[in-house]
Amino acid sequence: MLLNRGTVPTMPELTTKRKPTQADVARRAAVSQAMVTYVLNDHPRVSIPSETRRRILDAVEELGYVPNSAARSLRTRKTMTIAAIIPDITNPYYPAFNRGIQDVAESRDFDVVTYNTDGDLAKERKAIRSLQQGRVDGAIFNLIHLGPEDLRPLVEMGLAAVVMARIDLLWTESGVDMLIVDNASAARAAVGYLIDRGHTRIGMVAGIVGTPPREGRVEGYRQALADHHPPRSRKPGSFSSPTRTRNGARRTSGSLARCSITPPARRRSMKPSPARQNGPILRLSMP
């Protein structure tokens, strides 16, 4: 583009198109605005002829009308949003966990927002403070540090809360529903399965020391060893790491290497030796 000296190019003027409203939809469909509201909210107590419903939905499509969620929240006092508070979205378990929540939520026209806490106490508290601002109607918690008393303010403000935890009456007494995960029984079954298949050098990566999920899994691990009466020569080792970082992963690999645990990729091509079959059991606990 050629410019004369002293001229400055200008951007074309932008025109802002007015957003269609419910009133516009009502006029296009030749119905009342209340009828539009009933159809868009799928009101269960109002019977609307199929032809009228079709005209309204066609008008919505033609005009490109999008309901104002903020205005709806003010009117209904609902955000139509559920929160999922989880420790680590990169953990293979939690994407499937979140997907289950989202599938059910979407079937009921709810959105889902996810808070990733990294198993950190400060981040768990930050998530609670965010929820106290009224951004969601309910929340599903998988907590590492916080307990029943920490969720009480949310319950008192009317937020529906479900927590994945071990059996503890304090949760229900605080008004929080529970989804019970029996970590002890799961770990006990897993270790028992390995022992029944003849494995004796069983390592365990159980989580952060002192947290409920980790303690339940270690309890099940020990129960399985006691169930199968391991020989006294099996002396468990103990290793721990306080962080959920790459440094923790490196320490895990180093601990396994020092104990001569054969990596799975190599183990398939090696014949087990008596020394490897009868060595001590390793208990490895880290994030």
Side-chain angles (χ1 to χ4, degrees), residues 129-188:
R129 290 195 298 271
S130 177
L131 299 182
Q132 286 180 296
Q133 297 177 25
R135 297 178 178 178
V136 300
D137 298 322
I140 300 172
F141 298 89
N142 197 317
L143 302 169
I144 300 296
H145 302 284
L146 299 184
E149 285 300 316
D150 298 295
L151 300 192
R152 188 181 294 275
L154 298 177
V155 175
E156 291 177 347
M157 63 181 284
L159 187 141
V162 179
V163 64
M164 295 182 64
R166 293 191 298 179
I167 298 176
D168 189 340
L169 294 180
L170 290 178
W171 287 111
T172 54
E173 291 173 358
S174 298
V176 178
D177 292 321
M178 294 179 60
L179 176 60
I180 299 171
V181 180
D182 195 341
N183 285 299
S185 294
R188 185 176 186 177

Side-chain angles (χ1 to χ4, degrees), residues 2-13:
L2 295 177
L3 298 175
N4 293 327
R5 184 177 298 177
T7 62
V8 179
T10 59
M11 296 293 293
E13 291 187 4

Side-chain angles (χ1 to χ4, degrees), residues 86-97 116 217 244:
I86 61 174
D88 185 1
I89 193 63
T90 63
N91 184 317
Y93 169 79
Y94 290 110
F97 175 79
N116 187 83
R217 294 163 190 164
R244 304 171 62 89

Side-chain angles (χ1 to χ4, degrees), residues 15 60 93 165-166 192-193 202 228 260 267:
T15 57
V60 168
Y93 169 79
R166 293 191 298 179
Y193 171 80
I202 302 174
H228 292 78
S260 301
R267 189 180 302 125

Side-chain angles (χ1 to χ4, degrees), residues 189-205:
V191 176
Y193 171 80
L194 294 175
I195 293 175
D196 289 340
R197 290 178 64 86
H199 296 284
T200 59
R201 297 175 60 79
I202 302 174
M204 184 174 187
V205 180

